[in-house]
Each structure stands twice: as C-alpha cells, then as structure tokens.
Amino acid sequence: MAETPIRLLIVDDHPIVRDGIRGMFAGDPDFDVLAEAGDGAQAVELARALNPDVILMDLRMPRMDGVAAIKELARVGVAARVLVLTTYDTDRDVLPAIEAGATGYLLKDTGRDELVRAVRTAARGEAVLSPSVATRLMGQVRAPADPLSARELEILHLIAEGATNREAAARLFISEATVKSHVLHIYTKLGVNDRAAAVAAAFRRGLLTLEDG
C-alpha cells in the first residue's frame, strides 16, 4: 500500500463512464477519488480547489474540451498529472493532448489492472501511453515529414484564408478538380481529415504563421 493514497479527479461528460472509472478504484486504499467533473471547465475549478495528484481526462466534452482544460490547468499552476482517457487515437487527438502537457494517453478499452498501473506511473511523473498511441507517436518521429509542394502550399494558404475549392481554382487559374486533388494530398501529408485540422496542423509545423489567413 502507498504511504498516502493517490488522489484522483475523474473528468468525463458521460456519468456512466465516470461511474465505471470510479468503480475500478473503489475499495482500493491506494487511491482516493476526490470528485468527478462533466467538462473541462468544471475540471479546472475542482482541480484548483482539491489539488488532486492525477486527473483522468476525457478529450471531447462540452463547454471546454480536454486539450483546452490541460492548457488551462498549466496556466493556473495546477501541478496534477493529467492522464488522458479517451476513445480516440488519431493524430488530431493525440498530438495536441501531448503537446498541451498530458503525462499519459490511454484508450477507454484499457483494462482495470493496466489503468491502475498507468495512474501509479503518471503519479510519479512518468509518461504512459497505450500501445496504439505509442506506435503512432513513434511513426511521427521516424517518418520524415513529406514536404508539401509549392502548389500545395499555395492552396494551404488559401484554405487558411477561408477560400473554397472553387475560389482557390479561380485564383490559381486551375480546375476545381485539380484543387480538390491537391487538398487530398495535403490532408494525407499532414495526417488530417478536414480543412480546419489541416490549418491547425500547418500552424503547429510552422507552414503557416499568424500573418496567414
């Protein structure tokens, strides 16, 4: 048994999920579930008041999502380790959460024993990642970024300005079908699925600056 229980805050917008997570730690003297929050904003309020050791954080929630909450927790000086516990393991979810300061990232199909180990690891300040997330991050490190062509960069700048495919085609004097093809190549190279995510990824990689768009 730990000298003092690891103090937990559970954050998820689904009460049934929160109940399930709480149940995994019920009766274990090594853990103390302090409270539950239904969104990121409430999580920040409770974390400031209760000072948990580890926050189990969902990502997609109303009012304030998990990534925004992680950033806000850091901004207000909450020292708790954040362990993301979510359904999603795409680049658009994993990378922003890790960059925001999450100590770990697990999926909701994680078993009880693995989750308990992960919380102990996070409480020590050590990183913990589900296998699929670790593989995805290693792929990002190992695979050299496929650079965007000059034309793709032109189209990316127009996307950041809010131009439609038709508007981009008119401005570049090419067909709308050609623009669409370039946009799909941009998505593939940036590892995203839509225009907003492409712009966000481009800003993170330095392909766009605040002067663009």
Side-chain angles (χ1 to χ4, degrees):
M1 176 177 173
E3 292 183 6
T4 57
I6 296 173
R7 295 152 54 87
L8 301 177
L9 172 62
I10 298 170
V11 186
D12 196 288
D13 59 329
H14 293 98
I16 292 177
V17 174
R18 296 199 302 270
D19 288 346
I21 297 171
R22 178 184 281 272
M24 291 185 179
F25 296 96
D28 190 327
D30 286 354
F31 301 95
D32 180 11
V33 178
L34 302 177
E36 301 173 11
D39 59 60
Q42 186 183 17
V44 173
E45 294 173 5
L46 288 171
R48 295 185 72 177
L50 301 174
N51 192 32
D53 299 308
V54 176
I55 301 173
L56 293 167
M57 180 79 74
D58 191 17
L59 285 185
R60 301 189 187 180
M61 297 178 290
R63 210 154 66 106
M64 180 185 287
D65 65 24
V67 170
I70 295 170
K71 292 178 179 177
E72 182 65 10
L73 288 165
R75 189 188 72 80
V76 300
V78 172
R81 310 294 184 177
V82 178
L83 181 57
V84 171
L85 189 61
T86 185
T87 306
Y88 309 98
D89 66 349
T90 63
D91 285 350
R92 62 187 296 184
D93 294 296
V94 174
L95 297 178
I98 299 299
E99 290 170 356
T103 300
Y105 197 113
L106 294 178
L107 302 182
K108 286 182 178 176
D109 59 2
T110 299
R112 191 255 177 198
D113 290 345
E114 184 180 351
L115 179 59
V116 168
R117 284 195 300 271
V119 169
R120 294 185 194 278
T121 300
R124 295 193 299 267
E126 300 172 13
V128 55
L129 301 170
S130 71
S132 66
V133 171
T135 299
R136 184 173 294 278
L137 289 177
M138 287 300 295
Q140 288 281 331
V141 172
R142 288 175 177 167
D146 191 0
L148 271 60
S149 68
R151 178 64 85 188
E152 288 164 354
L153 283 171
E154 285 182 306
I155 291 173
L156 183 59
H157 278 78
L158 292 175
I159 290 174
E161 294 174 6
T164 64
N165 287 354
R166 178 172 297 180
E167 290 166 344
R171 291 176 63 173
L172 297 174
F173 303 102
I174 57 179
S175 72
E176 188 174 347
T178 298
V179 171
K180 184 174 182 180
S181 177
H182 283 308
V183 169
L184 292 176
H185 289 155
I186 291 169
Y187 289 175
T188 298
K189 290 180 178 181
L190 296 181
V192 298
N193 297 311
D194 58 46
R195 298 165 79 89
V199 171
F203 273 111
R204 288 199 302 272
R205 297 188 185 193
L207 300 174
L208 293 174
T209 67
L210 292 178
E211 296 177 357
D212 300 308

